[in-house]
Amino acid sequence: MIGAGVMGADHVRTLHRSVPGVEVSLVADLDPERAASTAQPVGARATTDPADVIAGSDAVIIASHDSTHAELVLACLAAGRPVLCEKPLAPTVAECGRIVEAEGDRGLIALGFMRRFDPAHVELKAAIGRVGAPLLVHCVSRNVSSAPGSTTESSITNSAIHEFDSVPWLLDSPITEVSWHAGRSAHGEFQDPQVMLLRTGNGVLTTLEVFLNARYGYETRCEVVGEEGAIALTDPARVVVDHARTHATGYAADWRPRYADAYREELQAWVGALAAGLPNPLATARDGLRAAAVAEAVIASMKDGRPAAVSA
């Protein structure tokens, strides 16, 4: 594991507790105390050098800062190591393109677009045909608060990037045109919330709201409107509280409870494929390149105020 922050540490725990056939042997982080606190409970060795992980492991997971992804993935490719990189593959199209070229046809890279393994998203995709041909998709992605250092651009390349992969996956059609829109902002340092319009090659229009500082809780919504009806994700809350004349469900503080099953299924699929010598069942480097191209087009639309075509 490279990166022992929130995501990396959570992956380590999930691998250790819930994924058979794998052992976490090395954990790298620039903060030695964070690396040690993540590694020690699972019997792994801690290091501050990602090169130790790449050299000393059968396979690597990258969960470090987005800005480090390209360099680390390229190092894994140079060593011939299978690698699961958390999204995004890299923040820019140029970096993603170099990675795709370096990988060639080796199939070493898996990309962590975990919504492809989320039971709710999988069921939604399977049921789309029941409401006729899709006409519209409405997506909402809200968080309690943004990460330190967030910008308008990073909320596109790091958060909205999920829908840039999941919408084409749901509709079996690539995003070809985008536009970016915003009104009043709830945050003083960057635009939040944002609204994006995504048009896929099959003519379906998607609305996407990204609101990183919604405060009330973490929430993902997705509704597909078809010619004969609509189908949507439901509230995943498992407990309803009736008290003091209220009927209520709670919200998670971040994405981990909502997507715990997705991460576990994704990690198991990756580990199982590696152990059996099967092709990567996760999103690929080319999927990451396509999502980055959508993000680049959205940022272009944000800057010039016009719709933008997706270049790849």
Side-chain angles (χ1 to χ4, degrees):
M1 182 67 62
I2 299 176
V6 173
M7 192 74 266
D10 198 56
H11 279 335
V12 167
R13 288 189 291 268
T14 300
L15 288 164
H16 181 69
R17 298 171 181 172
S18 305
V19 180
V22 64
E23 177 185 350
V24 181
S25 58
L26 287 152
V27 176
D29 195 276
L30 293 177
D31 182 337
E33 293 185 4
R34 190 162 63 179
S37 65
T38 301
Q40 188 275 329
V42 301
R45 182 164 63 88
T47 177
T48 57
D49 189 352
D52 293 343
V53 174
I54 296 170
S57 305
D58 296 320
V60 177
I61 297 177
I62 296 172
S64 50
H65 191 272
D66 296 357
S67 62
T68 68
H69 288 188
E71 178 184 356
L72 292 171
V73 171
L74 289 171
C76 289
L77 292 176
R81 292 287 183 271
V83 54
L84 195 171
C85 181
E86 267 304 326
K87 58 78 197 165
L89 179 61
T92 69
V93 169
E95 291 171 301
C96 291
R98 288 197 294 273
I99 292 170
V100 169
E101 183 178 0
E103 182 188 32
D105 60 0
R106 289 184 288 171
L108 290 173
I109 300 171
L111 189 56
F113 281 129
M114 82 295 181
R115 292 186 186 180
R116 295 179 177 217
F117 289 86
D118 173 50
H121 277 82
V122 170
E123 188 172 345
L124 176 65
K125 179 177 173 65
I128 285 176
R130 294 174 55 190
V131 296
L135 302 174
L136 294 167
V137 179
H138 300 293
C139 297
V140 172
S141 180
R142 295 176 184 163
N143 290 264
V144 174
S145 60
S146 55
S150 293
T151 65
T152 306
E153 290 84 354
S154 71
S155 64
I156 294 168
T157 61
N158 181 269
S159 185
I161 199 85
H162 273 298
E163 279 80 10
F164 299 163
D165 177 74
S166 64
V167 168
W169 172 74
L170 284 169
L171 298 176
D172 293 316
S173 185
I175 296 170
T176 57
E177 185 183 44
V178 301
S179 63
W180 180 93
H181 307 267
R184 293 178 56 197
S185 179
H187 198 279
E189 298 179 9
F190 67 96
Q191 179 61 50
D192 188 49
Q194 307 171 53
V195 173
M196 301 156 220
L197 301 182
L198 317 174
R199 191 180 303 277
T200 45
N202 58 2
V204 177
L205 186 66
T206 295
T207 65
L208 168 58
E209 173 205 315
V210 175
F211 191 6
L212 299 187
N213 291 276
R215 300 187 183 185
Y216 68 85
Y218 179 86
E219 184 178 20
T220 300
R221 301 180 194 171
C222 183
E223 179 187 31
V224 179
V225 181
E227 293 177 335
E228 301 171 8
I231 185 166
L233 300 178
T234 59
D235 186 342
R238 297 175 180 174
V239 175
V240 176
V241 177
D242 293 300
H243 176 69
R245 297 183 301 281
T246 63
H247 179 80
T249 59
Y251 286 98
D254 63 27
W255 68 92
R256 288 173 294 173
R258 168 63 182 84
Y259 287 108
D261 290 341
Y263 285 119
R264 184 180 65 253
E265 294 289 343
E266 177 188 65
L267 289 168
Q268 182 60 73
W270 182 61
V271 168
L274 288 178
L278 297 174
N280 164 43
L282 280 62
T284 66
R286 290 192 178 277
D287 293 320
L289 173 60
R290 284 188 283 267
V294 176
E296 185 176 84
V298 170
I299 292 171
S301 174
M302 176 188 70
K303 291 180 176 180
D304 66 21
R306 296 181 295 180
V310 178
S311 61

